[in-house]
Amino acid sequence: MSGHDQLVHCLCELTRLLWKLLLPLVFLCVLLITVLVLLVLAVRFWLQSNRNARRARDGRPTVAFFHPYCNAGGGGERVLWCAIRALQNRYADINFVVYTGDLGVTGQQILEGARRRFNIVLPRPVHFVFLRHRLLVEPGLFPHFTLLGQSVGSIFLGWEALTEFVPDLYIDSMGYAFTLPLFRYFGGCSVGSYVHYPTISTDMLSVVRERNPRFNNPDYISNNLFLSAFKVVYYCLFALLYGMAGSCSDLIMVNSSWTLDHILSLWRAPNRTSVVYPPCDVSAFLDIPLEDDGDRKCHSIVSIGQFRPEKDHRLQIRAFKKVLDKRRTGAGGGEALKLVLVGGCRNQEDEDRVLMLRGLCQELGVADKVEFKLNVPFEELKREMGEATIGLHTMWNEHFGIGVVECMAAGKVILAHKSGGPKLDIVVPFEGGQTGFLADDEDSYAEEIQRILALPSASRLQLRRNARQSVARFSDQEFEACFLAAMEPLMGTLER
């Protein structure tokens, strides 16, 4: 037998073997898929039985909000409490639940914190389901592949929430999109989401493609062609999974035009997506008098925002240092100047970040002119706002910017980052008048601060008036009206 004939013979034998194995393989695949489907149906039946038993006991449906950090003091938490307050005022025959990972406090302490920080009091109590494994969504647990790690962690945390309490309507109010299919397909719940910030965005992809160093794209990656290419592929695959998870939502609310553009491109559900601007406590700051500040001996620059890396407090401190240097060389006025950083610390990582910022102040020689105000009560926040001349914001691609709106409502001259929500929705002309200033790096921030301080006090006063009048569209009342209108189709599906 020739070599060619032997090769043909071997190929024929291999084909016969594969054909004999094909049927068992197909049978095994069908069996595994059947077992998986039956397991999913069994779990779904068990979870829905729990919900039906609870419904029979309570006699009314339940709406649950997934917000593992509900005791934090950020804008997302203000949205949560305003949303619950609006729904409680409209629907008296519905129970409300909040899934939280804040184990060190009681439910009453959480509600008291909402009153103290945001001046929000709920009409009725809510039930808290305390989750024991919030660590699974902490970024510190995943030094590499953080987005993927946190997303997988959120699935396990969502499973804990679902097995602890099965609601009729589930709302993800903190951006954990991978919990949506869990509650929809396993829990049989209607699901909705309020998106503050997309987990991944085309801007993040462009940062990696262009090898631009940022807080989420360290130098060792941006300087390496292979690592940058690998990260682009990783981001693209993650964006695909993120879009599939988010598209499971029956209702999608986003907080700004910038977020809307990204969610539409990723989740591809335009008929279910609407913009609902977050509630800003505009009215609480309207009693701060708008007075001429020309005779002030000290101008205060106030920054409001949690001490998270993306808020870029380092940029604020470095820009402030440049302003002080220019004023020392005679390029500014004779008034004293100070920087006040007001914000919340969610955990030890945030507290460590504050220590590093204090160290930076010492290094730059501005420690005596920079004040840190951590987790302050609402009245102290308001007092700092009232005493300030400039409101400062430096986060790149801030999804919205509640702190920016609050500064404008308080009558401060706002200087915000030239991107995201501040650029597209907030610091925009109002009735033909300017409402604030935008910058994007240390030099431009320093220049704009100098420019603001050099303005005649009458010009600053007119600009402050424009800013205050322009933010009425971000009031609590506007949010409640838009939020209730968006939620009405889902709320109408609840059997009462």
Side-chain angles (χ1 to χ4, degrees):
M1 184 181 291
S2 67
H4 178 267
D5 293 337
Q6 288 180 343
L7 178 61
V8 171
H9 179 71
C10 289
L11 289 175
C12 290
E13 291 298 319
L14 180 61
T15 302
R16 289 192 192 98
L17 177 62
L18 291 176
W19 179 253
K20 289 179 180 179
L21 292 176
L22 179 61
L23 189 59
L25 286 174
V26 170
F27 176 77
L28 182 61
C29 290
V30 170
L31 179 62
L32 290 176
I33 292 173
T34 303
V35 170
L36 181 61
V37 170
L38 290 175
L39 182 62
V40 170
L41 292 175
V43 171
R44 181 183 171 98
F45 177 78
W46 170 61
L47 291 171
Q48 290 187 349
S49 297
N50 290 342
R51 183 179 63 198
N52 293 337
R54 186 262 307 160
R55 279 290 301 271
R57 184 178 64 252
D58 296 343
R60 58 177 63 183
T62 300
V63 176
F65 287 81
F66 189 77
H67 209 104
Y69 294 90
C70 74
N71 198 40
E77 288 67 58
R78 192 169 204 287
V79 171
L80 170 69
W81 301 122
C82 284
I84 294 176
R85 181 177 62 184
L87 290 173
Q88 284 188 335
N89 284 329
R90 171 70 66 86
Y91 303 98
D93 56 345
I94 291 179
N95 292 332
F96 293 90
V97 165
V98 176
Y99 298 110
T100 178
D102 296 297
L103 298 178
V105 293
T106 65
Q108 185 58 42
Q109 288 172 324
I110 292 175
L111 295 177
E112 176 60 25
R115 183 202 62 79
R116 181 171 56 87
R117 291 174 181 144
F118 306 122
N119 200 28
I120 295 174
V121 178
L122 298 183
R124 303 192 306 277
V126 298
H127 176 65
F128 290 91
V129 175
F130 290 92
L131 307 177
R132 298 180 301 277
H133 300 99
R134 190 177 70 180
L135 178 67
L136 294 173
V137 296
E138 292 278 356
L141 188 64
F142 309 101
H144 306 291
F145 299 97
T146 307
L147 294 181
L148 181 60
Q150 285 184 285
S151 297
V152 173
S154 73
I155 296 175
F156 286 98
L157 190 63
W159 177 252
E160 180 188 353
L162 183 58
T163 53
E164 288 286 336
F165 189 96
V166 186
D168 298 277
L169 172 56
Y170 169 80
I171 305 294
D172 166 40
S173 55
M174 206 173 172
Y176 293 107
F178 287 87
T179 64
L180 296 170
L182 197 65
F183 277 81
R184 177 169 184 172
Y185 297 117
F186 282 88
C189 310
S190 298
V191 295
S193 54
Y194 187 96
V195 184
H196 299 273
Y197 195 88
T199 303
I200 191 168
S201 65
T202 53
D203 291 327
M204 293 168 65
L205 283 167
S206 65
V207 164
V208 180
R209 283 196 185 101
E210 297 167 8
R211 300 171 65 186
N212 184 5
R214 292 272 182 176
F215 76 91
N216 59 349
N217 193 44
D219 291 339
Y220 74 89
I221 290 180
S222 61
N223 293 333
N224 187 295
L225 180 61
F226 173 77
L227 291 179
S228 293
F230 178 80
K231 191 169 183 178
V232 168
V233 175
Y234 160 55
Y235 269 15
C236 288
L237 292 175
F238 181 84
L240 178 63
L241 294 174
Y242 177 64
M244 293 170 62
S247 64
C248 295
S249 188
D250 298 305
L251 168 69
I252 305 163
M253 293 170 281
V254 299
N255 68 340
S256 68
S257 302
W258 181 87
T259 307
L260 175 68
D261 291 341
H262 289 284
I263 290 299
L264 288 179
S265 66
L266 291 166
W267 292 14
R268 302 184 184 279
N271 295 333
R272 289 173 274 148
T273 308
S274 59
V275 176
V276 178
Y277 289 125
C280 306
D281 200 3
V282 173
S283 60
F285 298 100
L286 295 181
D287 58 350
I288 295 177
L290 282 178
E291 299 174 343
D292 192 297
D293 59 6
D295 58 350
R296 284 191 177 178
K297 302 301 181 185
C298 177
H299 286 294
S300 170
I301 303 172
V302 64
S303 164
I304 300 174
Q306 289 180 323
F307 287 97
R308 306 201 309 261
E310 62 268 27
K311 294 297 184 181
D312 209 350
H313 290 90
R314 294 175 62 86
L315 172 58
Q316 299 177 5
I317 295 169
R318 293 186 181 279
F320 180 66
K321 163 67 173 174
K322 290 191 174 184
V323 173
L324 293 178
D325 289 344
K326 289 181 179 180
R327 292 169 73 86
R328 289 193 190 101
T329 59
E335 309 93 340
L337 199 61
K338 68 176 181 177
L339 174 64
V340 182
L341 305 179
V342 183
C345 286
R346 303 163 298 173
N347 47 37
Q348 186 61 45
E349 186 178 353
D350 287 354
E351 293 177 7
D352 292 342
R353 189 170 296 110
V354 171
L355 289 177
M356 288 189 287
L357 292 173
R358 291 183 188 274
L360 178 62
C361 292
Q362 292 283 354
E363 178 186 334
L364 297 178
V366 298
D368 60 329
K369 296 183 181 298
V370 179
E371 298 179 12
F372 289 82
K373 304 284 186 177
L374 311 181
N375 300 320
V376 300
F378 180 76
E379 288 304 319
E380 185 174 352
L381 166 67
K382 188 174 177 180
R383 183 168 62 252
E384 292 293 342
M385 298 268 279
E387 295 174 355
T389 301
I390 299 173
L392 187 61
H393 164 275
T394 50
M395 178 177 169
W396 172 71
N397 271 344
E398 171 79 88
H399 39 87
F400 180 71
I402 289 181
V404 175
V405 173
E406 290 177 343
C407 284
M408 294 168 71
K412 306 299 105 180
V413 181
I414 190 66
L415 173 55
H417 200 283
K418 195 176 183 179
S419 64
K423 177 184 178 181
L424 297 176
D425 294 313
I426 305 174
V427 189
V428 295
F430 176 74
E431 296 183 353
Q434 186 178 3
T435 58
F437 298 85
L438 299 169
D440 56 11
D441 57 23
E442 291 178 22
D443 290 329
S444 59
Y445 269 99
E447 291 171 4
E448 292 301 330
I449 291 173
Q450 285 286 88
R451 179 183 173 189
I452 293 169
L453 295 176
L455 285 173
S457 58
S459 298
R460 275 202 302 268
L461 182 60
Q462 182 57 50
L463 195 149
R464 291 158 57 199
R465 287 198 184 101
N466 294 342
R468 172 172 281 185
Q469 293 171 8
S470 72
V471 296
R473 65 192 188 279
F474 305 126
S475 66
D476 285 4
Q477 294 75 20
E478 285 292 322
F479 167 79
E480 290 185 4
C482 294
F483 179 78
L484 290 173
M487 285 289 295
E488 190 171 0
L490 274 188
M491 298 300 291
T493 64
L494 297 180
E495 297 179 4
R496 296 194 282 275

